Amino acid sequence: PSGTGLDMAAAGRRRRRRGRAGEVAEDGGAVLRRLRDARDDLLSSGFWAASAGASVRARLGGSAELPARCVCYGLGRFGGCPIARDQLAFLLLLLEELGVPPARCSLFDPVFSEREAAVLGELGLRLLPENEEGKHDIEGSATLFYMVHCGNALYNNLLWRNWSLGALPKLVIIGNSFRGIEERLLPRILRRDYSYIAKVLKVTEEVALPAHPRYLDTFNDTSIHWFPLEKLQELSPEIWDFVEEPTYEDCDNLEIIRREEKTHGCSPIAA
């Protein structure tokens, strides 16, 4: 009898798991439909065409090396948050534009639900297994980092990890305007807390995404950034010798920097 009870309990657990899997699949289908609608809206509004012309082609045209990979941080709860869903739809269009296969695009946000993780898998995208705190080494591959409305420390950590004349020219960052970061922070705070952003500012090329009334909250203060080798070579040679890992003891609003922290809510980008 006890064995029969264990069998029944195991069968019950299997049914519950199948039920949850079915719910995830059903909900995931609804998310995919809303994502397709968001894509169609981006195309019909003219925002995507203007963005591709003003930024993507401006950076990647001519002799520029096309990114072979993409990393996305801080997307947010796109299953329920329209802002995050529009940003994901934009990312998918961007991958098509650049010819980057979905399997070569990796994402991380601690707020992703089981349903959202399943949807990303359906789209062929990869989830990073852990919180890198933005410290992603491109390992010689030209890489696009899609980091819309992320915390300043993530950009700073990314620059630190790739702080060399060989790596920085291979980075393209779509995220918060570096010029805007400079304008919002006192110079001493910028140099103390985000020293790698401060050091690279004057040689950073930046093009803002165009303003559009429908997407003001979604892409406000968003620019595409790149770091031309010829400009980087103008910096003092000593600047490359000091490569101390950043710490943020006195900083607030680090969002998904700390591995031990958990983030909740719709999305940090909606804050």
Side-chain angles (χ1 to χ4, degrees):
S2 60
T4 302
L6 289 172
D7 292 342
M8 292 176 64
R13 287 194 295 272
R14 287 194 295 272
R15 284 194 298 271
R16 287 193 293 274
R17 284 197 295 270
R18 286 196 297 270
R20 286 195 295 271
E23 290 172 6
V24 168
E26 182 178 352
D27 292 346
V31 173
L32 286 170
R33 287 191 294 273
R34 290 195 291 270
L35 189 58
R36 285 193 292 270
D37 291 342
R39 171 196 168 97
D40 292 343
D41 289 343
L42 280 167
L43 293 172
S44 64
S45 70
F47 178 74
W48 165 252
S51 299
S55 60
V56 176
R57 295 191 188 100
R59 162 61 185 100
L60 300 169
S63 61
E65 184 177 359
L66 289 173
R69 302 166 54 243
C70 176
V71 176
C72 172
Y73 293 129
L75 183 65
R77 297 297 303 273
F78 61 88
C81 183
I83 289 177
R85 193 157 50 247
D86 286 340
Q87 291 180 351
L88 176 55
F90 188 96
L91 172 61
L92 295 172
L93 287 170
L94 197 59
L95 295 178
E96 291 179 18
E97 179 77 15
L98 302 178
V100 177
R104 303 206 71 182
C105 180
S106 303
L107 301 90
F108 180 83
D109 196 316
V111 305
F112 285 152
S113 66
E114 182 181 356
R115 174 185 64 178
E116 288 161 338
V119 167
L120 294 173
E122 285 289 321
L123 294 168
L125 303 168
R126 297 178 57 249
L127 288 177
L128 289 167
E130 63 178 5
N131 185 356
E132 300 177 324
E133 300 181 350
K135 302 168 185 175
H136 188 99
D137 189 338
I138 66 167
E139 298 178 345
S141 297
T143 305
L144 168 69
F145 287 86
Y146 189 73
M147 306 168 61
V148 181
H149 296 172
C150 284
N152 296 340
L154 276 180
Y155 304 108
N156 197 57
N157 278 0
L158 175 63
L159 293 172
W160 165 76
R161 175 58 76 186
N162 297 282
W163 193 251
S164 73
L165 288 171
L168 284 179
K170 295 179 179 291
L171 263 66
V172 178
I173 301 174
I174 295 181
N176 294 358
S177 166
F178 281 17
R179 294 178 190 141
I181 293 172
E182 182 183 26
E183 291 169 1
R184 287 189 294 271
L185 293 176
L186 293 172
R188 63 178 180 83
I189 300 297
L190 180 63
R191 291 192 299 268
R192 183 195 70 188
D193 296 338
Y194 310 112
S195 61
Y196 292 94
I197 296 176
K199 288 188 283 190
V200 83
L201 266 171
K202 67 179 181 180
V203 296
T204 300
E205 291 287 342
E206 175 177 332
V207 176
L209 293 188
H212 190 285
R214 180 164 184 166
Y215 298 103
L216 290 179
D217 291 336
T218 309
F219 294 105
N220 65 300
D221 193 43
T222 301
S223 293
I224 181 168
H225 308 80
W226 65 98
F227 314 95
L229 176 60
E230 61 272 17
K231 287 197 169 187
L232 291 169
Q233 289 173 331
E234 296 173 2
L235 297 175
S236 168
E238 293 77 23
I239 206 169
W240 307 106
D241 296 334
F242 184 77
V243 195
E244 182 177 351
E245 184 170 1
T247 58
Y248 302 99
E249 287 83 357
D250 300 320
C251 297
D252 298 322
N253 193 30
L254 291 179
E255 294 182 0
I256 65 171
I257 281 292
R258 303 300 189 195
R259 288 191 177 94
E260 65 273 13
E261 290 179 355
K262 300 295 182 183
T263 307
H264 301 282
C266 172
S267 168
I269 59 175

